[in-house]
Amino acid sequence: MSKQPHAVGARLRESGPAHKIVAPDGSAAWLVTRYEDVAPLLADPRLSLSKQHAKPDGGYRGFELPPALDANLLNMDPPQHTRLRRLASPAFGAGHVARMRPALEKAAHRLADDLAAAGEVDLVADYAAPFSVLVISELLGVPEESRHRFRAWTTGLLGAGATREGMREIVGEMLRFFTGLIADKRTAPGTDVLSALVAARDADDDRLTEDELTSLAFLLLFAGFENSANLMASCLHAVLTDPELRRSVRPPADAASSPDATAALVEEVARHESPALLAIRRFPVEDIDVGGVVIPAGETVLLSLASANRDPRRFTAPDAVDPVRPDLARHLSFGQGIHYCIGAPLARLEARIAVGVFLDRFPNALLDPGSPPRWQPSPRVRGLASLPALVDG
């Protein structure tokens, strides 16, 4: 996409249902932009996530991950996908996520203490990113001294300036990191999710291969950190930009308020600024018709979540942030069908806590008038690179 993905999406929606484009990896692809097409295609079994269905000469390259990182849910169809998702799902189930709430609230307050001491802050670097790092690190049992690398890794892989050589170097670093982390869990297991997955792998070789184990850890870190941090920062940007919106989420103490106001805000911002601009690429197993455009089997298909979520045919006044819109829950930011984001409950909880704690602690916070927010110039994700703010200690 571009530095203005929503404007581009609007033009493409009007000009046709599917467009031949150059994908972020430089290969040819089809981009689908309308809600009426994107929503059903997200769950259509004729669109495979497995690269074995890509045309040999189709030009698809992707991240070119080694086998030890490539055997993950984003490259699989049933039954392999079903088996792996079933193993990973307990870590993101409603019960486990609810039990995490006290620890997450404590972490958010600790970060807010640091913001109060500083006064002038960047809510990406000083709040959203470290909060997201902490959550996924606790989930996987990543030592504190290793956590500082995460944002550099994701930026290096997803950023507009990413190069093949740079990506290969980062992938190599991540492979070495996860191989070492899994070895540590075998020697000294903890109560974290990765220790449980290692135990499952070692108890029954039929449940998880070693590559699947390493790839699953890679995916949980990669997706869990970047998307959650972007959603949190976008929520904070929304309430700091719109005073009326802030009042609707955190009204005066003597006013009646809905306990679901923050949850509704998070849901609406997820629609308005989808953390992932595009769903993971797919490959048709047969020729498919998209609004009269035939996409041949094996070619790369990209489904634009950002464009579908701003489609005026589906959402009234889609460019406005409206947490009380009647069609709030119909956005596509977390996907559809069997590939619906496994970490969605945790991402929602993180964002709700981050916004709630911030507004409770800093009711008079302002965007820094001397330093405007900057969005990441990425063709893959929608997130703020920086969000300078002034907070009241």
Side-chain angles (χ1 to χ4, degrees), residues 131 137 139 344:
F131 188 37
S137 297
L139 196 71

Side-chain angles (χ1 to χ4, degrees), residues 75-335:
N75 293 323
M76 291 181 175
D77 302 321
Q80 294 92 339
H81 176 274
T82 308
R83 175 175 58 86
L84 240 64
R85 189 175 176 105
R86 185 166 55 243
L87 286 169
S89 289
F92 299 96
H96 188 268
V97 169
R99 289 191 293 274
M100 294 178 68
R101 176 185 282 274
L104 299 191
E105 290 176 339
K106 183 178 179 180
H109 279 288
R110 189 164 66 246
L111 289 168
D113 290 340
D114 295 337
L115 296 182
E120 296 182 11
V121 300
D122 179 348
L123 293 178
V124 175
D126 301 327
Y127 191 57
F131 188 37
S132 185
V133 165
L134 186 146
V135 172
I136 200 65
S137 297
E138 291 296 323
L139 196 71
L140 293 176
V142 176
E144 189 168 347
E145 63 271 16
S146 299
R147 300 174 182 180
H148 65 280
R149 313 186 217 179
F150 295 175
R151 186 157 183 81
W153 283 341
T154 56
T155 300
L157 291 177
L158 298 174
T163 64
R164 283 282 148 194
E165 183 178 349
M167 287 192 287
R168 278 194 293 270
E169 184 176 335
I170 291 170
V171 166
E173 288 181 16
M174 296 184 81
L175 177 56
R176 290 189 292 274
F177 171 77
F178 282 112
T179 301
L181 184 61
I182 288 170
D184 292 342
K185 298 301 177 186
R186 286 197 166 100
T187 303
T191 58
D192 54 89
V193 168
L194 186 55
S195 292
L197 291 171
V198 169
R201 151 70 181 154
D202 293 349
D204 184 350
D205 283 350
D206 290 335
R207 299 194 75 200
L208 271 175
T209 68
E210 193 70 15
D211 282 353
E212 287 171 346
L213 174 62
T214 311
S215 297
L216 186 54
F218 162 75
L219 176 61
L220 294 179
L221 169 61
F222 194 77
F225 163 65
E226 182 71 24
N227 289 339
S228 295
N230 288 342
L231 178 57
M232 279 186 267
S234 291
C235 287
L236 293 168
H237 178 258
V239 295
L240 289 176
T241 303
D242 185 343
E244 188 59 40
L245 183 63
R246 187 195 312 207
R247 281 191 290 272
S248 73
V249 177
R250 281 289 180 272
D254 59 350
S257 63
S258 166
D260 297 324
T262 307
L265 170 77
V266 170
E267 212 64 36
E268 171 65 348
V269 172
R271 178 201 68 81
H272 189 259
E273 298 291 2
S274 175
L277 293 172
L278 305 168
I280 188 69
R281 79 288 172 275
R282 286 158 162 80
F283 309 102
V285 298
E286 61 185 61
D287 293 357
I288 60 169
D289 185 303
V290 179
V293 176
V294 176
I295 300 178
E299 299 202 355
T300 305
V301 176
L302 299 174
L303 305 176
S304 177
L305 305 176
S307 175
N309 282 339
R310 296 268 191 123
D311 191 337
R313 300 172 183 84
R314 181 64 191 83
F315 298 100
T316 302
D319 293 329
V321 178
D322 180 10
V324 298
R325 64 171 61 250
D327 43 12
L328 184 64
R330 300 302 297 274
H331 72 79
L332 304 176
S333 294
F334 295 116

Side-chain angles (χ1 to χ4, degrees), residues 112 115-117 119 246 358-366 390-393:
L115 296 182
R246 187 195 312 207
F358 181 82
L359 292 182
D360 280 345
R361 292 287 299 273
F362 309 111
N364 299 314
L366 300 169
L390 307 177
V391 300
D392 44 339

Side-chain angles (χ1 to χ4, degrees), residues 1-16 19 21 31 33 277 304 306-307 310:
M1 304 279 286
S2 79
K3 294 181 180 180
Q4 298 179 320
H6 301 305
V8 173
R11 291 198 299 270
L12 292 177
R13 283 194 306 270
E14 292 307 310
S15 61
H19 306 269
I21 65 161
L31 180 66
T33 56
L277 293 172
S304 177
S307 175
R310 296 268 191 123

